[in-house]
Amino acid sequence: MNLASAVRVFLSYYLLVQRWMGSEQGGGVFDQGGHSVSLTRLDEARAPPRCAVRSSPSSAASLPPKPLLVAAPRETGEYPVILFLHGYLAVNSFYSQLFEHVASHGFIVVGPQLYTISGADTTEEINSAAAVIDWLATGLPSTLPLGVRANLTKVSISGHSRGGKVAFALALGHAKAKLAVPLAAVVAVDPVDGMGVGKQTPPPILTGRHGSLHVGAPAMVIGTGLGELPRGSLLPPCAPRGVSHAAFYDELDGAAPACHLVVRDYGHTDMMDDDTPGARGMLTRTICRSGGARAPMRRFVAGATVAFLKKWVAGDAAAMDSITARPDQAPVALSVVEFGDEKAIA
């Protein structure tokens, strides 16, 4: 074999290996990552009764404004932070398996419990989530495993259902005070802005105008094919057409990178834990139409989130680019794959 032939063989082998590695990296995000994970619950700070002995300022300052569920890698290092906001009347612990998956890939996930009972207005949730972001710099470090540090130069915000709406609201500046930490990215999981067009919950986020939302950071919108369909004749859809994922993506102004992925055969709550106990947990399985076993949808949402944040927050595009090139490697069937102005039906 002469030198030219040897070079051609080497290059062919190199390109084959690179393609294989790209596929592995893309598929790898849908599996648990290499980090072991700690899962910590934190109670919220409460104003003490007048007759009570007050705690020291330092201990009071370390408590968050809302109860939290924090998933973090155990290995020493500095990791990006993502705030995850639960859906309407849901419990943050219903997403613990999702949090652990994302954290195993090198992220710190902070999931506040924004309320126990809530009405239609999301203003208080928006301000509560902003308060949690304000607390991160002073309170989060003491909650993390030894040697683990939070990179708080920026923070990403994610949310499911109504929590996805709140994530958009924070990115759009609807909180009463400016966020204490700059926004890195937004990931909205089947976001919902009310019961239907003309029936939005206050404050309305969607305007009905294409390209009207200036988020100012990379944004990924994940939708479900079954979310727009009712569970039965007596129940409304959990993610009504016109106020859910497609509308949120359509109204992004295109000033920042954007992505829209729709999971064809799964429903609005199918990314939650396998076991969601109690009456609220039962509702997550009875109100919304479902695609069955939750693990595939949960793996996809976690993996897509990891890939998107690795590209736009950590600067590692391999996994996201691999998903872009080969959406069929996902553990679920995708009916829509959109990046910016480019759209492909898988």
Side-chain angles (χ1 to χ4, degrees):
M1 180 183 295
N2 58 32
L3 179 59
S5 298
V7 169
R8 284 196 296 272
V9 170
F10 173 80
L11 288 175
S12 298
Y13 177 76
Y14 175 80
L15 291 173
L16 179 64
V17 170
Q18 291 300 305
R19 284 195 295 269
W20 177 82
M21 288 180 65
S23 176
E24 285 297 297
Q25 289 168 340
V29 296
F30 299 122
D31 298 321
Q32 291 288 324
H35 293 281
S36 57
V37 174
S38 70
L39 197 63
T40 305
R41 298 177 188 275
L42 297 174
D43 291 329
E44 66 183 306
R46 295 180 182 274
R50 290 184 180 182
C51 60
V53 177
R54 292 186 178 272
S55 58
S56 67
S58 59
S59 63
S62 66
L63 292 174
K66 289 291 179 179
L68 300 181
L69 185 63
V70 179
R74 294 182 181 275
E75 289 75 22
T76 297
E78 185 176 74
Y79 304 98
V81 176
I82 177 170
L83 185 77
F84 186 95
L85 309 174
H86 60 81
Y88 184 55
L89 297 181
V91 180
N92 57 1
S93 62
F94 289 177
Y95 306 89
S96 61
Q97 289 176 287
L98 180 70
F99 291 2
E100 289 175 315
H101 188 142
V102 174
S104 75
H105 285 273
F107 294 89
I108 297 170
V109 185
V110 178
Q113 185 65 44
L114 294 176
Y115 55 84
T116 302
I117 299 175
S118 179
D121 196 323
T122 58
T123 301
E124 186 175 346
E125 294 156 56
I126 295 167
N127 292 326
S128 293
V132 172
I133 294 175
D134 290 348
W135 168 87
L136 292 174
T138 56
L140 183 61
S142 64
T143 74
L144 300 175
L146 184 65
V148 172
R149 303 180 306 280
N151 182 342
L152 289 171
T153 54
K154 290 186 176 182
V155 64
S156 299
I157 304 175
S158 181
H160 168 232
S161 190
R162 176 157 153 160
K165 167 186 173 149
V166 174
F168 262 87
L170 290 167
L172 294 167
H174 283 265
K176 64 182 179 182
K178 184 178 179 181
L179 297 183
V181 183
L183 182 63
V186 174
V187 177
V189 183
D190 225 15
V192 178
D193 190 15
M195 296 297 293
V197 177
K199 301 177 182 178
Q200 292 167 255
T201 52
I205 300 303
L206 297 171
T207 67
R209 302 189 306 273
H210 173 75
S212 59
L213 302 182
H214 179 70
V215 170
M220 178 166 70
V221 180
I222 298 174
T224 61
L226 302 184
E228 296 179 342
L229 304 177
R231 175 89 183 202
S233 59
L234 300 179
L235 294 173
C238 287
R241 188 183 301 273
V243 291
S244 56
H245 60 92
F248 276 91
Y249 181 74
D250 178 72
E251 293 192 16
L252 289 171
D253 67 358
C259 172
H260 183 208
L261 306 173
V262 180
V263 182
R264 186 186 66 198
D265 302 319
Y266 284 84
H268 188 62
T269 61
D270 284 342
M271 75 297 299
M272 290 183 176
D273 287 1
D274 293 327
D275 180 23
T276 48
R280 297 190 186 206
M282 181 183 67
L283 288 175
T284 69
R285 291 194 176 274
T286 57
I287 290 181
C288 301
R289 193 161 176 175
S290 173
R294 288 175 165 178
M297 179 62 177
R298 187 172 58 245
R299 289 177 58 213
F300 173 74
V301 170
T305 299
V306 167
F308 190 76
L309 295 183
K310 278 184 175 291
K311 179 170 184 176
W312 296 113
V313 177
D316 179 2
M320 195 69 214
D321 290 352
S322 182
I323 294 171
T324 305
R326 287 282 311 282
D328 59 309
Q329 70 183 284
V332 294
L334 301 178
S335 57
V336 176
V337 179
E338 293 183 276
F339 293 88
D341 293 330
E342 298 179 2
K343 180 177 180 180
I345 302 299

